[in-house]
């Protein structure tokens, strides 16, 4: 067991260059000495221990998702993740059939085909940046397929979701990032609303058409609501799945014995993904807002405060996980069967009622990507032996993932 040093280190600055290079060093300082860290520049309160973060996600009294009203709504509109009560329940019921169940089963063969098609382009290259040439685009390709939109518009979608992620994480109110978000506010609706209106008039089998026809208790989505939902899908289904896949491949390459185990038994790709979601979740921080004065870890957080739930810190809390700083796809303190449900042991998709409704789609995309990459690259390794570096505060993953391999003859 490690002992806590008696000297209290300086309070970490989440916006510092040092924090950006190695957040996990500072996450431990936060857990041990500043479990509720008030960041003066942003005014946010960052919570880092597993027990506290889990409580915030599950506690409907004292915390809300009102922060998305300024984080995302100005760009894409009001989405289900900022709703509460009956409004949230109805919207989630309308969305769920589109991302789980029969529709997901129908989509899965197309997910496999898309992965194969993309990998075929560099299968014989011997060297490739998997982040730039695969993981960055694969989830968007799936979303575009679901929406039945032109593939030549992929760069637009990537630009829009990149601006949304930057807008969401703009702690310093950078005017250029704000302006970028406002451009998306104009361009994205101008593109998608006419398509939604046409699918409502002439529905097909695509996701947009299904959403225009979805109905519960005589309630349907409006065109504006569908626009916002698709915007959310771009973020939740694009950026996060991209980083989940890239990080899993990175950590498997760093642990050759575990990589070989997955290669020999493709079903272990699920375990590898789940361990990545714990060890290095793609969404490092999710925000909530206090609806009352709330005490967390001995600190009273005032009503109306924005709280940063630091998933990346909570998932390596030694109070909850054994040997948390070790990447181990065979660990026994996570229940794999519930890893993609609201009762998950890891904290990567939030928990409780607001657990990510698209988690099963993300799971299947990642399993397909991991297994197809490993099959295509039997001796995959980091190019020039250089381990890729990560970047990002709210979402985090490899900036690039340049690998070398011997092409199959």
């Amino acid at each position: 067991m490690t002992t806590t040093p008696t000297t209290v280190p300086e309070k970490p600055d989440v916006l510092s260059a040092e924090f950006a290079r190695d957040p996990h060093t500072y996450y431990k300082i936060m857990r041990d000495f500043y479990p509720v860290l008030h960041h003066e520049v942003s005014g946010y309160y960052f919570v880092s221990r597993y027990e506290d973060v889990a409580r915030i996600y599950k506690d409907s009294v004292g915390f809300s998702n009102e922060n998305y009203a300024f984080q995302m709504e100005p760009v894409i509109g009001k989405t289900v993740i900022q709703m509460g009560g009956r409004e949230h329940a109805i919207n989630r019921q309308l969305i769920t059939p589109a991302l789980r169940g029969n529709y997901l089963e129908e989509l899965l063969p197309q997910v496999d085909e898309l992965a194969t098609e993309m990998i075929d382009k560099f299968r014989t290259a011997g060297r490739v940046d998997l982040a730039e040439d695969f993981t960055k685009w694969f989830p968007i390709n799936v979303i575009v397929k679901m929406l039945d939109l032109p593939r030549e518009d992929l760069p637009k979608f990537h630009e829009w979701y990149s601006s949304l992620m930057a807008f969401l994480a703009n702690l310093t109110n950078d005017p250029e990032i704000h302006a970028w978000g406002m451009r998306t506010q104009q361009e994205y609706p101008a593109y998608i609303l006419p398509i939604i209106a046409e699918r409502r008039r002439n529905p097909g089998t695509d996701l947009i058409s299904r959403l225009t026809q979805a109905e519960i208790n005589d309630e349907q989505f409006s065109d504006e609501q569908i626009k916002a939902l698709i915007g959310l899908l771009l973020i939740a289904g694009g950026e996060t799945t991209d980083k989940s896949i890239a990080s899993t491949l990175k950590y498997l390459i760093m642990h050759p014995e575990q990589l070989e185990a997955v290669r020999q038994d493709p079903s272990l790709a699920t375990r590898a993904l789940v361990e990545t979601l714990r060890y290095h979740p793609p969404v490092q921080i999710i925000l909530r807002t206090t609806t009352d004065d709330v005490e967390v870890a001995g600190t009273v957080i005032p009503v109306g405060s924005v709280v940063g739930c630091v998933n990346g810190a909570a998932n390596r809390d030694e109070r909850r996980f054994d040997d948390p700083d070790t990447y181990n796809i065979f660990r026994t303190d996570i229940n794999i069967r519930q890893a993609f449900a609201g009762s998950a042991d890891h904290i990567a998709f939030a928990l409780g009622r607001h657990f990510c409704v698209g988690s099963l789609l993300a799971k299947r995309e990642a399993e397909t990507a991991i297994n197809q990459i490993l099959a295509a690259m039997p001796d995959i390794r980091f190019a020039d032996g250089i381990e890729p570096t990560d970047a990002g505060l709210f979402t985090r993953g490899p900036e690039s993932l340049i690998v070398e391999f011997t092409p199959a003859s």
Side-chain angles (χ1 to χ4, degrees), residues 146-181:
M146 293 169 67
L147 301 173
D148 191 20
L149 296 173
R151 291 184 70 177
E152 57 266 28
D153 290 338
L154 280 170
K156 292 181 181 178
F157 293 121
H158 190 269
E159 173 74 9
W160 290 334
Y161 94 56
S162 296
S163 76
L164 285 167
M165 288 308 306
F167 194 91
L168 183 150
N170 190 17
L171 267 65
T172 58
N173 294 314
D174 184 312
E176 291 187 8
I177 292 177
H178 182 83
W180 189 17

Side-chain angles (χ1 to χ4, degrees), residues 318-378:
E318 55 280 345
R319 299 161 188 81
R320 172 59 181 81
F321 297 103
D322 295 330
D323 196 12
D325 290 321
T326 296
Y327 185 86
N328 177 14
I329 69 173
F330 299 106
R331 66 172 50 250
T332 58
D333 49 6
I334 285 185
N335 185 332
I336 297 297
R337 292 183 179 178
Q338 63 187 36
F340 298 91
S343 56
D345 295 309
H346 66 82
I347 298 177
F349 298 120
L351 293 170
R353 294 181 301 112
H354 281 278
F355 188 83
C356 176
V357 71
S359 62
L360 290 181
L361 174 61
K363 169 181 179 289
R364 190 58 170 81
E365 288 181 57
E367 291 168 344
T368 292
I370 293 162
N371 283 323
Q372 289 205 28
I373 289 290
L374 295 188
M377 305 175 183

Side-chain angles (χ1 to χ4, degrees), residues 29-265:
I29 293 172
M30 291 165 67
R31 289 192 304 265
D32 288 345
F33 299 99
Y34 306 96
V36 177
L37 185 153
H38 184 226
H39 185 251
E40 284 78 10
V41 173
S42 64
Y44 293 5
Y45 290 80
F46 291 96
V47 177
S48 51
R49 290 180 181 169
Y50 182 95
E51 182 180 5
D52 298 326
V53 172
R55 169 200 160 191
I56 291 170
Y57 285 142
K58 295 176 180 178
D59 194 350
S60 59
V61 178
F63 299 94
S64 78
N65 290 11
E66 293 173 11
N67 45 280
Y68 289 110
F70 69 82
Q71 272 191 293
M72 291 173 57
E73 187 174 349
V75 180
I76 62 172
K78 187 176 184 180
T79 68
V80 65
I81 62 173
Q82 75 187 79
M83 297 173 185
R86 183 177 181 277
E87 183 182 28
H88 172 263
I90 291 292
N91 276 264
R92 193 173 176 96
Q93 281 182 281
L94 286 166
I95 295 166
T96 298
L99 296 175
R100 292 173 179 254
N102 291 338
Y103 178 61
L104 180 59
E105 291 300 317
E106 293 171 17
L107 182 69
L108 294 184
Q110 300 174 62
V111 172
D112 295 341
E113 291 170 9
L114 281 169
T116 301
E117 178 186 331
M118 294 183 69
I119 294 169
D120 280 347
K121 293 179 180 178
F122 51 77
R123 192 182 297 271
T124 60
R127 181 184 177 108
V128 65
D129 184 344
L130 286 174
E132 181 61 36
D133 295 333
F134 183 72
T135 68
K136 175 179 174 181
W137 299 105
F138 175 53
I140 306 181
N141 264 289
V142 172
I143 293 168
V144 165
K145 187 75 172 178
M146 293 169 67
L147 301 173
D148 191 20
L149 296 173
R151 291 184 70 177
E152 57 266 28
D153 290 338
L154 280 170
K156 292 181 181 178
F157 293 121
H158 190 269
E159 173 74 9
W160 290 334
Y161 94 56
S162 296
S163 76
L164 285 167
M165 288 308 306
F167 194 91
L168 183 150
N170 190 17
L171 267 65
T172 58
N173 294 314
D174 184 312
E176 291 187 8
I177 292 177
H178 182 83
W180 189 17
M182 291 302 97
R183 287 196 299 275
T184 297
Q185 181 195 53
Q186 299 298 315
E187 295 170 4
Y188 169 62
Y191 174 91
I192 201 69
L193 283 172
I195 294 173
I196 296 170
E198 172 58 27
R199 302 284 171 87
R200 194 179 292 279
R201 290 191 297 268
N202 299 293
T205 59
D206 59 279
L207 179 57
I208 297 176
S209 295
R210 289 170 187 254
L211 292 173
T212 65
Q213 305 303 304
E215 183 176 316
I216 291 178
N217 298 332
D218 296 325
E219 295 198 37
Q220 289 185 300
F221 284 123
S222 68
D223 289 6
E224 282 289 331
Q225 288 173 313
I226 295 173
K227 175 209 75 176
L229 176 57
I230 294 171
L232 176 62
L233 186 62
L234 286 172
I235 297 174
E239 175 91 355
T240 58
T241 307
D242 159 15
K243 287 177 166 52
S244 295
I245 297 169
S247 292
T248 302
L249 290 168
K250 170 185 170 178
Y251 290 119
L252 285 175
I253 296 170
M254 289 173 65
H255 298 83
E257 292 182 2
Q258 296 182 57
L259 185 152
E260 186 58 28
V262 176
R263 192 192 306 283
Q264 294 299 322
D265 180 359

